[in-house]
Amino acid sequence: MCGIIGVENNENAAVLASAGLLTLQHRGEESAGITISGSEKMRTFKAMGLVSRIFNEEILLNKLPGTVAIGHVRYTTSSKSSLINAQPFQISCIHGNISVAHNGNITNFSKIKELLLKKGAIFNHTSDTEILLHLIAMSKGSFADIIANSLRKLEGAFSLVILKDRTLIGARDSNGFRPLVLGKIDNSYIISSESAAVEVIGGKYIRDIKPGEIIVIEDGQIKKSLIYKKGRRQTSCIFEQVYFSRPDSVMFEQTIKEARVKMGEYLAQQMKNIKADIVMPVPDTGYFAALGFSRTSGILFENGFIRNHYVGRSFIKPSQNLRNLTSTLKLRPIGEVVNGKEIILIDDSIVRGTTSKRLMNILKKTGAKKIHFALSCPPIIDSCYYGIDTPSREYLIAANNSVEEIKEYLNVDSLNFLSLDNLIKACSADNKKSDVFCAACFTGKYPTKISKST
Ligand code: AMP
């Protein structure tokens, strides 16, 4: 998964892009980068690590002068995690200097790469995004035509920001798998993965970029907006709402927070026969669903876990003998909340089941009397080919075990998953948009052809 942002027609483009990237940091912590253009020669600065470590005042103000910027935060899904694959990718070609930042996963990447290799193309990265650069370099016509012709050849998930001179382009695949929004701050347009990033930097969310749309912006004006390809139907990733996106971002006319509250309300309706002393979230993603559950069921909401936000991904993966030492480092239960209680514990999802198993052990050790574990989505039974980092089927606990078997494995008193119907109802403001989501991770039904090499 990744986060992308573009800011144009602004003297502070690099600073605003870096603040936007900080807001999108949850979408990728491995690397971050910004390309700047507009007043001077295009340049890109990128590095491994967190946005706050990479972009300091000296780099933003002295090394990234210009008025148009695109930025990227990366979380590897389809290729190696290394600086060479950090984005944006800046190239020099027949059309001049161009830079691209991509969120998603191009599913016919291997096929196109093979064709390009046969034509003599040279590849520097292992990322799927690189094929787009070759396609752009080989296309002819206006800049918008070049991009449209190139994107028509791609399948799968791609939300993009593209930069050339003072022109900023935003584009989304025809299924609209990954989010992409348009916003404005004064006389500058912003394109971002999530509306929260637009608003945090002082802008206003205007609308979503439509599935299959290319929008061309220059000097504070929308020069062109075209639908380059019509999809059969919109299939936006529903897991964005369950887990990935920020609660303060807007999707399908409501905040993600509101969607998660509704997920909890529906879960409470599904579990009305279960009584407990408290409802407790697994922080942070279980928080709003637990709130909704509590409001509907009337069962007291309690915050019984303290999360340590400073334990990064890079912290040692504990070996067996260190596991006890580190098991409560990231999430620690508060004894007085948990001890002797019958608890409804709400988390967003079970993937491999290892996190849940650890949490149940910790809660039992802290004296929980009974645990009713509830998830704000259905069992994940298949991998994602559209940019979410789910492991292959063999590692997905729900692909290989029944709900009863998972309940036994976790040693909980009950185990409940939100039904797909209820999840879909929760994910739009009018509760009625049933045919606009990709739910392949819960159903195994993929909305596009998947070639096996992806
Ligand atoms: P596990 O079942 O141990 O694999 O971990 C499940 C937890 O990981 C869930 O509670 C989510 O909060 C979180 N999670 C779900 N999907 C992802 C993902 N694609 N990348 C990272 N964490 C995830």
Side-chain angles (χ1 to χ4, degrees):
M1 184 56 73
C2 303
I4 55 176
I5 187 147
V7 180
E8 63 85 55
N9 196 38
N10 199 299
E11 292 300 324
N12 299 315
V15 174
L16 292 176
S18 77
L21 289 182
L22 264 177
T23 312
L24 299 172
Q25 185 79 82
H26 59 285
R27 300 183 69 86
E29 298 178 0
E30 279 177 10
S31 64
I34 290 177
T35 299
I36 191 96
S37 170
S39 52
E40 290 183 36
K41 205 171 156 223
M42 180 182 283
R43 55 177 95 177
T44 298
F45 191 91
K46 53 191 178 182
M48 300 300 284
L50 296 173
V51 177
S52 58
R53 297 242 179 104
I54 299 171
F55 293 105
N56 55 35
E57 215 174 307
E58 141 75 9
I59 286 166
L60 287 171
L61 299 182
N62 299 332
K63 298 221 164 114
L64 293 169
T67 54
V68 195
I70 60 169
H72 188 271
V73 283
R74 179 160 195 260
Y75 178 134
T76 309
T77 48
S78 67
S79 54
K80 273 205 213 129
S81 162
S82 62
L83 184 58
I84 191 131
N85 284 327
Q87 295 193 26
F89 287 155
Q90 179 185 333
I91 53 154
S92 173
C93 67
I94 188 89
H95 310 300
N97 290 322
I98 292 174
S99 188
V100 173
H102 168 211
N103 173 208
N105 194 22
I106 299 167
T107 52
N108 62 343
F109 150 70
S110 307
K111 219 160 84 187
I112 297 182
K113 183 168 178 179
E114 216 176 291
L115 291 174
L116 290 167
L117 282 169
K118 280 186 189 149
K119 281 189 185 169
I122 296 164
F123 283 83
N124 288 322
H125 314 87
T126 54
S127 150
D128 56 345
T129 313
E130 197 176 11
I131 58 166
L132 175 60
L133 303 172
H134 284 286
L135 295 175
I136 290 173
M138 289 171 181
S139 295
K140 292 193 178 100
S142 71
F143 192 38
D145 289 343
I146 287 168
I147 302 300
N149 290 337
S150 307
L151 296 188
R152 279 189 203 108
K153 298 192 173 81
L154 305 184
E155 286 166 15
F158 45 91
S159 283
L160 299 157
V161 281
I162 303 168
L163 176 57
K164 179 179 167 349
D165 304 323
R166 295 193 320 277
T167 308
L168 172 67
I169 283 191
R172 210 170 163 205
D173 66 75
S174 57
N175 289 80
F177 281 110
R178 298 284 142 232
L180 195 66
V181 305
L182 178 70
K184 199 160 191 204
I185 174 170
D186 303 323
N187 296 321
S188 309
Y189 278 102
I190 307 160
I191 293 174
S192 167
S193 294
E194 294 187 37
S195 64
V198 172
E199 288 164 356
V200 163
I201 63 178
K204 255 204 155 101
Y205 162 75
I206 299 175
R207 65 168 174 90
D208 286 7
I209 305 292
K210 296 182 199 113
E213 180 180 5
I214 290 176
I215 187 163
V216 183
I217 305 168
E218 200 179 295
D219 299 334
Q221 284 178 17
I222 296 177
K223 298 283 178 191
K224 206 177 215 175
S225 155
L226 61 119
I227 299 292
Y228 70 92
K229 185 176 178 182
K230 275 216 152 56
R232 266 169 294 168
R233 69 178 174 95
Q234 180 165 2
T235 53
S236 295
C237 171
I238 204 160
F239 204 66
E240 286 276 350
Q241 307 216 32
V242 172
Y243 172 75
F244 231 91
S245 294
R246 268 175 69 121
D248 52 345
S249 283
V250 172
M251 231 170 252
F252 293 101
E253 289 91 41
Q254 65 181 356
T255 56
I256 298 288
K257 174 242 166 201
E258 192 51 32
R260 291 184 185 163
V261 167
K262 287 200 263 175
M263 291 171 205
E265 289 170 355
Y266 286 125
L267 252 184
Q269 287 172 20
Q270 282 179 218
M271 294 169 61
K272 23 180 201 291
N273 297 331
I274 293 179
K275 302 283 168 257
D277 300 311
I278 55 170
V279 182
M280 214 174 102
V282 176
D284 293 325
T285 34
Y287 186 87
F288 291 111
L291 198 64
F293 193 110
S294 167
R295 282 182 195 162
T296 296
S297 63
I299 300 171
L300 181 71
F301 176 96
E302 272 278 19
N303 226 340
F305 271 120
I306 296 303
R307 178 170 171 187
N308 185 332
H309 288 267
Y310 305 99
V311 184
R313 266 179 217 278
S314 56
F315 189 73
I316 46 164
K317 293 252 178 325
S319 60
Q320 198 56 45
N321 58 353
L322 277 177
R323 201 154 280 167
N324 287 342
L325 179 74
T326 56
S327 66
T328 51
L329 203 55
K330 193 162 182 185
L331 277 184
R332 180 170 183 244
I334 301 173
E336 69 188 65
V337 177
V338 168
N339 192 14
K341 300 279 175 43
E342 191 162 341
I343 298 167
I344 293 176
L345 182 73
I346 314 256
D347 201 356
D348 61 279
S349 59
I350 301 182
V351 184
R352 291 178 179 81
T354 44
T355 311
S356 316
K357 178 79 185 162
R358 209 178 60 231
L359 292 181
M360 301 315 143
N361 285 343
I362 298 171
L363 284 178
K364 286 268 159 76
K365 261 197 195 155
T366 313
K369 197 163 78 184
K370 276 191 174 182
I371 304 172
H372 302 282
F373 191 33
L375 290 307
S376 56
C377 72
I380 298 177
I381 58 155
D382 237 318
S383 304
C384 178
Y385 297 98
Y386 305 120
I388 297 243
D389 181 31
T390 33
S392 60
R393 288 192 95 233
E394 60 187 298
Y395 299 107
L396 295 171
I397 191 167
N400 303 294
N401 296 277
S402 66
V403 172
E404 190 53 37
E405 284 167 338
I406 303 171
K407 177 184 159 252
E408 294 295 312
Y409 168 72
L410 296 177
N411 190 20
V412 289
D413 297 274
S414 74
L415 176 65
N416 284 274
F417 292 86
L418 184 65
S419 71
L420 183 58
D421 280 353
N422 280 338
L423 173 61
I424 287 170
K425 275 196 278 176
C427 284
S428 67
D430 61 8
N431 297 10
K432 283 189 188 125
K433 289 195 175 50
S434 58
D435 58 352
V436 293
F437 298 110
C438 172
C441 52
F442 308 129
T443 63
K445 291 182 191 142
Y446 295 93
T448 66
K449 243 194 320 188
I450 302 294
S451 63
K452 283 297 156 199
S453 52
T454 51

